[in-house]
Structure formats: C-alpha cells, structure tokens
Amino acid sequence: MGSGMMGNDTMIDNGRQAVDNSLGAKKSEWKSAFLLSLISMVLLWLSQEPVGLSGFVWFALVPWLVMAVRSRSYVRSAIVSLICGSGYYIASLYWLANVTLPGMLALSVAMSLYFVMWGFILKIVYAASGLSFTLVLPVLWVGQEYLRATLLTGFPWLFLSHCLHDCEHLTQVADVTGAYGVTFVAAMVNGFIADILLRPQYMPGRGGLKGRNLLLRRLFILASILTAVNVYGIFRYNESSSTMTEGPVISVVQGAVPQHVKDSGGASIYEILDNHMAMTREAGADEIKPELVVWPETMVLTNINEEFLALADDVDMFVDSFKEEIRESVATNKALAALARDIDSSLLIGTPSQLLSLDAGKDELVNNGRTNSAIMYNADGSRGDKRYDKMHRVPFGEYLPFKESIPWLNKFLINLTPYKYDYSIKAGVKPVAFKVTGKDGKEYKFTVAICYEDVIPTVARKLANWNGADFMLNISNDGWFVNEDEGEIKPTSELMQHLIMSRYRAIENRIGIARAVNCGISGMIKPDGSIQTGSAGTLPADDVRGRSGKEGYLTDTIWLDSRSSIYSRVGDVFAILCTVLTGLIFLWTLRRGGAK
C-alpha cells in the first residue's frame, strides 16, 4: 500500500512537472514573440520621420516576419502583432492626438490589423509552400500598402518607400510604379534576409549544392532588380537637366498659426489676414519679384465666395449682425484685390466658401453648404473667374460618414472628432486649371491640391494631369499638428511626413509642386523630387526641417518638365497587380492546406 502511494505521488509530481514545463515553454514563446515583434516595430519607427534612420528599413520587417511564420499559434501571432503594431502606429501618429486622442488610438489599432492579417497570410504561405519570401514578401507588402491607401477613402501613411525619400536615384522608379515600387525593393531585401533565416536549405553547409544554388538564384534576382531600379533612376535623374525648364517665379507664404488660434475667431481672424498681407507685401517688394504669391489653406476666414458676396445687393434685409458679416466679407475681398494690384502679382488664397443664396422670392436665405476653396486674384486686381473646391474630404476632419445610412453610428463617431457637432463640408466636383502669366508673357496653367489631396496618389494624379497643367500647388493647414510651449511653436513629425509624400507625387507625375503650408513645411519641389532651397525669402533656405513652425515666405522659380510618366498614364496598375497576386497567392496556399 505504501509503495502504491509513493507511486501515485511520483506520477502526480511528474504531471506537475510536465504542466510546469508546458507553461514555461508557452511563457517563453510569448516572450520571444513579443521581443521579435517589438524589435521590428522599433526599427520601422526609427526608419520613418522624425528619426529618419532609413538604413533600418532594409531589414526592419524581418524579426516580425520570423515571429509570424514560426509561431505555433495563430492566436499568439495575431495578439502580438496587434499590440506591437498598435504601438508602432501610436508612436508614429502621435501628432493626431492634437486633434483627437480617441481617433488616433482607434486609427492606430485599425492600421495594426494589417500586421495581423498579413502575418496570417505569410504564415500559411510559409507552411504550405516553398515560395521564396524574396519574391513573395514584396508582392504582398505592396498589396497591403495599396489596400491601406484606398479602403475607406484610404490612409497612405508610413509606407516603406517613405523611409527612402532621400535616395534620389532609387525614388525615380516612382514615375512608373508609384511610391509602391520603392516599397517593393525594400520589402524584397527584407524577404531575402528572411529566406536565409527561415529556409534551412539556404543556410551555408546545410542545404548542399541545391540549397546554395537556390540562394544564389534569389540573390541574383535581388541584385538584378536593385541594379535595374538604380540604373533607371540614375538615367531619369540625370535626364532632368535637359527636360526641365524654368516656369514662373512663385512666393509661398507661411504663417505660424496653431489651430486653436484660428478656432478662437474674433480679432484673430483679422490679425491672421493682416499678417499674411504684410508678408505678401514684403515678398512682392523683394529683389526677386514673384509672378504668383500663394497663401495656405483657409488663411482667409471670412466668406469671399461669389455666392456670399452677392448677398451684399440685399444687405438691408438681414439682421444687423449678418449685415456686418457681409460688409466685412466685401471689405476683405476688396483688400485682397488691392493687394494683388499693389504688388503687381497674382495672388492665390485658401478660404472656406459659405454657399448661401436667396430663394426666388428673396424672402428666405437658403444654405447650400460649405466648401474648402482656393480663389485667385490677378495681378491687375481683377478677380479670377474660377474657384476650386476641394474634392477629397478628410474623414472625421471634414466630414462624418454614415450620417444618412447609419445615423446612430454617425452620432457615436462625433465623439472621435475635434468638434461635437456636424461640421461636414461639401466635396468639389472636379479640378480647376488656373492661369498665371510669367515675366516672359507666357501663360502657365496650374492646379491646386488642398490639404491632404497631395497625399492621396489617385487624387494628386488627377490634379497633375488636368487640362495640361504645367505645375501644381499644395495649400495646406498643418497648424493642427503643432504644439506650443510658452508661445513657441513646437512642430511634430506630421509636417515632414506630409512633405515626403508630396515629393513622391512630384516624381510620379513629373510635375513641379509649390507648397504653402501653415506652420510648414513650405517650399518648392522639382519634378525629380528634389527640394529647392529658395532664391529669396525669410524662411530658412538650406534647412528644410528648420522651416517647421516658422513664419515667413520663400521665393523661387517653379520648374516644369517636358516628360510624361508611365504612372501619369496608367496610375496604380503596378500596385493593383500586386494586390491581385496577393489574393491569388492567399487562395492558392489555402487550397494547399496552409491553414491546417
């Protein structure tokens, strides 16, 4: 009996030991998974602005990829990817908390779901096939970025290609593939490193002659693509010296107005206006005289659209407070026209448009909504006959979805916005081609991208190719994304991240871009993506990042390019192809039993 009891005790002890060992192993696996994913997210963060250590992007995905495909549990991989991915996006998009902390957190979690989903896809590819990550990862990662850029109006932020914006030869391939082509190259290098770590047959001394040959083939493909992309980039970059010509001289005016100052209304509206007018007069009196002066988005806060100004004919029928508002708008319109005439330069300004009108009987005011607009005054003081209304509205920033389809959800989403009321604006219908006359008497056409329209590749492509545009403007208000410390403006990484995407739009469409951005970063971008230093002005010329949060102006010639680009003609065909291939690879590996 005693020996039986001892035997039972031994069995119990062994069972406990087995359980402890199992728990210890699982705990160790969790730690390893978190560590590998965390390393990847830190490397990705270091590769992006504000740090900008772009060299890390060539292997940043590898630790996370190893974790995702080697994890014995889909659940563990998903949880770790979700947590670490959310941390990466929170650290990179922290500036969005200035507008809405709940929205920033929700967006970060939503973006991290792409790590979860693509970790699952890559795991079943690894389990079900011998497909090389050197070839598969770039296809899948471009597909992931394209979906991020297009689904639910899109959020094309923090691409792998954005880390490499200063690689002047590598980025030139964007005029064929869009920024996605640079992502493809970076992901391919990551995939090659992952192949060496994950495929034992590729390891020296373990795969024999066959394994070595496989590794050499992958290396040859990688080297060939890297060489081809760089040779093409060198050719296109050097070619620009013979294809680019000088266009009109442009001054971009940059205020330093945090959003809370704009929102305060009252006297601040006229202080902002007076300040921009003063900087414009200074630019107009400079030795290098501009043919066009550009103000940022919504720096004129009174309504000066034609529909609103037309109410002045019937001003006596309104209440006193509205009479005063109409008179102030008329006075602002006259002041801007006089400013253009005084400096003998065209003036393009950003302003909201309140689309009010009187009904047929003129006894009731009809509100037809608001738009975010660009309006131009000619050098002789006459007002241009065109107005551009922004086409691509920023979700939550300029409109709330589901207002009519799911009203209860719309009301809930208001809590994720900076305002607690419906502040939606109407979307414009189509681009507008403005015209400006240069010193040589030649007429130039240009279009305007307002706010984040230069971030969305499809929108920027439409604007860049509208009605034979010679160049493009970007007017934006990035005063949402700065902080203040005892009156001193502290810029965030959003300003540089926004500029990086604008550089890619210039290369993709081979078009010069002049940017007037409240709080920065203003300046000119050549059609080859290089940032101009500026010929005159009060903003730092050589220090691009140093323009952030500053007030002043910068004057330079905008460059035109006689080349057309494949991307301008076919758009995101490359990215769409990669997305389709992603779906086919996923379905093929599922059929082979990769999800078992």
Side-chain angles (χ1 to χ4, degrees):
M1 184 174 178
S3 61
M5 292 178 63
M6 290 178 62
N8 290 337
D9 289 342
T10 300
M11 291 175 63
I12 292 172
D13 289 340
N14 289 338
R16 287 174 177 169
Q17 185 64 41
V19 171
D20 289 343
N21 289 340
S22 177
L23 291 173
K26 289 181 179 180
K27 187 176 181 180
S28 177
E29 289 174 359
W30 275 101
K31 286 183 178 179
S32 297
F34 270 112
L35 179 61
L36 288 171
S37 289
L38 186 61
I39 290 172
S40 269
M41 302 309 156
V42 170
L43 291 175
L44 285 171
W45 178 76
L46 291 172
S47 302
Q48 300 280 4
E49 292 294 335
V51 183
L53 298 175
S54 60
F56 287 130
V57 77
W58 299 108
F59 53 89
L61 290 176
V62 174
W64 167 79
L65 177 58
V66 170
M67 181 284 300
V69 304
R70 293 295 298 271
S71 176
R72 292 190 291 180
S73 167
Y74 286 103
V75 174
R76 182 189 300 117
S77 174
I79 292 174
V80 170
S81 294
L82 182 66
I83 294 174
C84 293
S86 296
Y88 163 60
Y89 282 109
I90 289 171
S92 302
L93 304 174
Y94 69 94
W95 41 265
L96 191 55
N98 288 26
V99 181
T100 164
L101 177 59
M104 184 272 286
L105 295 174
L107 178 63
S108 297
V109 173
M111 290 298 101
S112 68
L113 290 175
Y114 285 96
F115 278 105
V116 175
M117 292 184 287
W118 261 251
F120 172 75
I121 294 172
L122 288 163
K123 181 174 177 60
I124 66 170
V125 168
Y126 178 71
S129 71
L131 292 177
S132 166
F133 282 128
T134 307
L135 305 177
V136 171
L137 183 62
V139 172
L140 266 62
W141 209 255
V142 169
Q144 178 264 139
E145 288 189 349
Y146 178 72
L147 290 176
R148 266 207 295 127
T150 53
L151 291 180
L152 300 176
T153 75
F155 188 74
W157 234 267
L158 304 174
F159 285 3
L160 295 186
S161 55
H162 297 160
C163 305
L164 300 166
H165 64 100
D166 274 333
C167 299
E168 58 189 25
H169 295 152
L170 186 64
T171 56
Q172 300 306 307
V173 76
D175 74 351
V176 178
T177 63
Y180 301 105
V182 183
T183 285
F184 189 93
V185 173
M188 179 171 269
V189 176
N190 277 265
F192 178 75
I193 297 171
D195 272 338
I196 294 175
L197 297 176
L198 292 168
R199 306 289 188 186
Q201 64 268 33
Y202 293 168
M203 296 294 288
R206 297 186 63 182
L209 181 61
K210 182 179 179 181
R212 186 177 63 186
N213 288 339
L214 284 171
L215 179 62
L216 289 175
R217 286 177 201 164
R218 304 294 181 260
L219 180 59
F220 175 77
I221 293 171
L222 174 62
S224 298
I225 290 179
L226 280 170
T227 301
V229 168
N230 278 284
V231 167
Y232 175 82
I234 291 170
F235 169 74
R236 290 292 268 179
Y237 188 80
N238 292 337
E239 183 188 39
S240 14
S241 61
S242 61
T243 62
M244 291 197 308
T245 55
E246 294 186 354
V249 177
I250 299 176
S251 289
V252 289
V253 176
Q254 175 176 303
V257 187
Q259 186 60 28
H260 73 85
V261 175
K262 287 185 64 187
D263 287 342
S264 63
S268 63
I269 292 176
Y270 302 102
E271 290 173 3
I272 294 170
L273 179 66
D274 290 344
N275 193 35
H276 280 72
M277 292 180 71
M279 288 188 285
T280 300
R281 292 186 186 280
E282 187 177 358
D286 212 317
E287 184 178 349
I288 301 176
K289 182 175 171 51
E291 282 102 62
L292 173 64
V293 179
V294 186
W295 288 13
E297 171 192 17
T298 61
M299 287 299 106
V300 176
L301 289 165
T302 50
N303 299 297
I304 57 171
N305 54 294
E306 294 288 354
E307 296 91 337
F308 193 90
L309 293 173
L311 299 177
D313 296 334
D314 301 283
V315 67
D316 291 335
M317 69 176 291
F318 302 113
V319 298
D320 289 342
S321 60
F322 195 57
K323 286 180 185 177
E324 184 60 26
E325 186 177 344
I326 294 173
R327 288 168 180 153
E328 288 171 352
S329 294
V330 171
T332 299
N333 181 55
K334 289 181 178 178
L336 291 170
L339 176 63
R341 184 172 56 251
D342 291 347
I343 64 171
D344 191 27
S345 297
S346 297
L347 173 65
L348 185 128
I349 58 98
T351 179
S353 294
Q354 187 71 52
L355 308 179
L356 298 177
S357 62
L358 291 172
D359 68 3
K362 291 195 173 184
D363 57 0
E364 184 178 333
L365 198 60
V366 179
N367 186 354
N368 299 303
R370 298 181 306 118
T371 59
N372 188 347
S373 306
I375 292 174
M376 184 169 167
Y377 296 86
N378 299 314
D380 61 1
S382 63
R383 179 162 167 151
D385 59 354
K386 297 178 181 179
R387 182 185 80 220
Y388 171 63
D389 295 329
K390 184 183 180 189
M391 299 181 297
H392 182 86
R393 300 174 297 170
V394 178
F396 302 103
E398 292 174 320
Y399 80 101
L400 283 173
F402 312 116
K403 181 177 180 180
E404 296 178 356
S405 57
I406 314 177
W408 66 265
L409 181 57
N410 176 267
K411 291 180 181 179
F412 169 76
L413 291 174
I414 289 178
N415 297 316
L416 303 180
T417 70
Y419 306 113
K420 304 309 174 188
Y421 57 87
D422 186 2
Y423 50 88
S424 299
I425 65 171
K426 293 179 64 175
V429 177
K430 62 181 181 179
V432 168
F434 295 93
K435 295 179 182 179
V436 62
T437 303
K439 287 187 176 70
D440 55 4
K442 183 178 179 181
E443 195 172 68
Y444 299 93
K445 294 180 182 179
F446 65 92
T447 53
V448 182
I450 299 179
C451 188
Y452 282 165
E453 288 188 315
D454 66 327
V455 165
I456 309 296
T458 52
V459 177
R461 173 174 166 258
K462 185 175 184 178
L463 288 164
N465 293 283
W466 185 261
N467 199 18
D470 296 300
F471 62 92
M472 190 165 76
L473 304 181
N474 171 224
I475 61 173
S476 187
N477 172 27
D478 284 8
W480 289 96
F481 310 113
V482 297
N483 300 307
E484 278 189 288
D485 183 12
E486 297 181 354
E488 182 181 357
I489 292 179
K490 302 292 185 180
T492 67
S493 58
E494 185 276 343
L495 277 60
M496 192 64 191
Q497 290 171 4
H498 190 178
L499 173 64
I500 287 168
M501 287 180 273
S502 205
R503 294 182 72 179
Y504 272 104
R505 303 297 87 82
I507 298 170
E508 287 167 353
N509 300 286
R510 293 300 176 192
I511 194 167
I513 299 176
R515 305 183 76 234
V517 184
N518 178 38
C519 290
I521 300 171
S522 300
M524 286 77 168
I525 305 171
K526 289 183 178 181
D528 61 12
S530 56
I531 301 174
Q532 299 173 224
T533 56
S535 301
T538 56
L539 289 172
D542 297 322
D543 182 12
V544 174
R545 286 177 174 82
R547 300 174 195 171
S548 300
K550 299 293 192 302
E551 180 180 272
Y553 70 93
L554 200 69
T555 302
D556 208 346
T557 300
I558 191 76
W559 287 85
L560 319 178
D561 201 323
S562 61
R563 295 173 293 182
S564 61
S565 73
I566 293 175
Y567 181 84
S568 285
R569 293 194 294 271
V570 304
D572 290 323
V573 167
F574 174 77
I576 293 170
L577 178 61
C578 287
T579 306
V580 172
L581 286 174
T582 295
L584 293 175
I585 291 169
F586 176 57
L587 293 174
W588 180 72
T589 49
L590 275 180
R591 189 173 179 181
R592 285 174 60 93
K596 290 181 180 178

